Amino acid sequence: MLDKLDALKIFCTAAETLKFREAAATLGLAPQQITRGIAELEQSLGEMLFLRNTRQMKLTPFGQQFWPKAERLLAESEALFSEGKRHNPQEIAGKVRITLPPLFENREIIRQLLHGLAGYPEISIEWHNAGRHLNIIDEQIDMGIRIGTVPDNRYIVKTICPVGVNIVASPHLVEKMGKPKNRQDLQHNYPLSALTNSNSGRVWPWQFADGNSFFPANPVFIAADIESELAAALAGRTVGQLADISVRPYLQNGELVNLLPELNYQPWQLYIFRPHLPLLPARVRLVFEQLTQILRGQFCHPA
């Protein structure tokens, strides 16, 4: 039988994600533990919390009313058990090592993080803004930010938002060449950019919602980072297939046009993760929580 507070934590996480597998990844548990925890809580309450079928899951009316009460109780219990563990900012010290891909917003993320840590002068940040994925366990890195498939339950994971790709060009290029009629027209008749895969040395393929893909055969601009590829599209030189979280503000202000939107898709998640440790240093917990909030504020905007 699970501890009731643990069961409430499982319920609140599942209520937020509405996916047991994602809740399991977030909490560092096996999916079977999530299912069992919810079943035990429902039996204890005598009420169903979720309605589930093969297509979707949603909260029952009782679950909707129970969720905020459970969240409040968890917050109060956390505050209660933290009373004896409160740290003076001067006592939270040491290095925190972070790895992330070369996101376009890298400079703004650093600015907000260092501003938020201004009251903790003894924390130092080691920032690995690298194209290749560093193994955070082997290389003793405290946390990572990635775009891709959420990792297994060896890690504590906080998902930020879904990430897809848009095919974009400047209005000047569209005026000059017109919009492509289809994927084949785009592939053969437009100046494309390409992003280098730092692990293989090849360029990444362009992938589409209809399941097709191609490698740009003769890209007119090749970059190792998203910012440079975006700059080429903004300059009116290329059509690029770029992460929707990076191009969103330029689509909104008219500097870029979304071409062939029916071929856009969202196969990935932006997430922050760290190893599952039995005793987490206060400095790592602090930075992990701050970065989670910064990323959500930066990227979780309506389309």
Side-chain angles (χ1 to χ4, degrees):
M1 183 71 180
L2 283 172
D3 176 271
K4 287 185 177 179
L5 286 178
D6 288 338
L8 288 179
K9 187 176 293 185
I10 286 173
F11 163 69
C12 289
T13 306
E16 181 180 351
T17 62
L18 291 178
K19 293 178 181 177
F20 281 5
R21 188 170 295 277
E22 189 172 323
T26 299
L27 294 172
L29 300 173
Q32 297 89 333
Q33 291 175 280
I34 302 296
T35 303
R36 185 170 66 249
I38 296 298
E40 290 180 0
L41 186 58
E42 288 177 331
Q43 186 175 8
S44 176
L45 293 168
E47 291 278 356
M48 294 290 292
L49 294 168
F50 295 95
L51 295 173
R52 301 183 286 278
N53 58 37
T54 55
R55 288 188 172 184
Q56 64 177 351
M57 181 172 75
K58 63 181 181 179
L59 287 165
T60 63
F62 178 84
Q64 292 174 358
Q65 295 177 0
F66 185 69
W67 185 14
K69 297 175 184 177
E71 290 272 23
R72 187 161 56 248
L73 179 59
L74 283 175
E76 290 172 355
S77 67
E78 182 70 23
L80 176 64
F81 286 109
S82 297
E83 285 294 328
K85 295 183 178 180
R86 296 197 182 277
H87 293 273
N88 185 312
Q90 304 292 328
E91 297 173 350
I92 301 181
K95 182 182 293 184
V96 179
R97 306 182 74 207
I98 303 163
T99 177
L100 72 162
L103 296 167
F104 178 66
E105 289 80 1
N106 178 58
R107 190 165 41 184
E108 178 61 17
I109 294 169
I110 291 175
R111 186 193 70 79
Q112 290 189 40
L113 178 61
L114 296 183
H115 178 78
L117 295 175
Y120 301 87
E122 299 303 316
I123 293 179
S124 63
I125 300 295
E126 188 172 312
W127 193 260
H128 296 269
N129 186 26
R132 68 183 185 91
H133 281 177
L134 302 180
N135 186 308
I136 69 171
I137 293 177
D138 292 347
E139 302 188 47
Q140 298 184 323
I141 291 173
D142 294 298
M143 67 194 70
I145 301 167
R146 285 186 187 163
I147 296 172
T149 304
V150 174
D152 58 40
N153 59 13
R154 291 178 299 164
Y155 304 99
I156 300 297
V157 178
K158 295 287 186 182
T159 56
I160 306 302
C161 63
V163 176
V165 287
N166 290 169
I167 303 162
V168 297
S170 72
H172 173 74
L173 185 62
V174 173
E175 183 179 354
K176 176 183 174 183
M177 301 191 65
K179 289 187 177 182
K181 300 179 181 63
N182 50 43
R183 179 173 47 81
Q184 291 79 8
D185 188 23
L186 172 71
Q187 180 179 3
H188 297 293
N189 300 316
Y190 285 78
L192 306 183
S193 66
L195 186 67
T196 303
N197 181 338
S198 59
N199 294 316
S200 69
R202 301 183 64 194
V203 299
W204 288 101
W206 284 35
Q207 301 182 58
F208 306 95
D210 61 6
N212 287 295
S213 65
F214 65 72
F215 287 92
N218 297 296
V220 299
F221 187 86
I222 302 173
D225 63 284
I226 296 169
E227 182 176 1
S228 298
E229 195 179 11
L230 175 58
L234 289 168
R237 183 69 179 92
T238 63
V239 177
Q241 189 181 54
L242 295 163
D244 52 14
I245 58 176
S246 295
V247 301
R248 185 178 296 140
Y250 303 100
L251 293 173
Q252 291 173 341
N253 68 19
E255 290 185 72
L256 292 174
V257 177
N258 192 351
L259 308 177
L260 301 173
E262 68 277 9
L263 293 180
N264 295 338
Y265 75 133
Q266 289 189 320
W268 308 301
Q269 284 280 345
L270 173 64
Y271 61 91
I272 181 170
F273 69 113
R274 61 175 175 80
H276 188 68
L277 300 175
L279 185 60
L280 187 69
R283 67 182 183 277
V284 176
R285 184 182 303 278
L286 175 68
V287 173
F288 189 80
E289 292 173 353
Q290 288 212 12
L291 262 181
T292 299
Q293 294 306 311
I294 290 168
L295 291 169
R296 285 178 174 165
Q298 191 76 22
F299 295 112
C300 294
H301 304 298

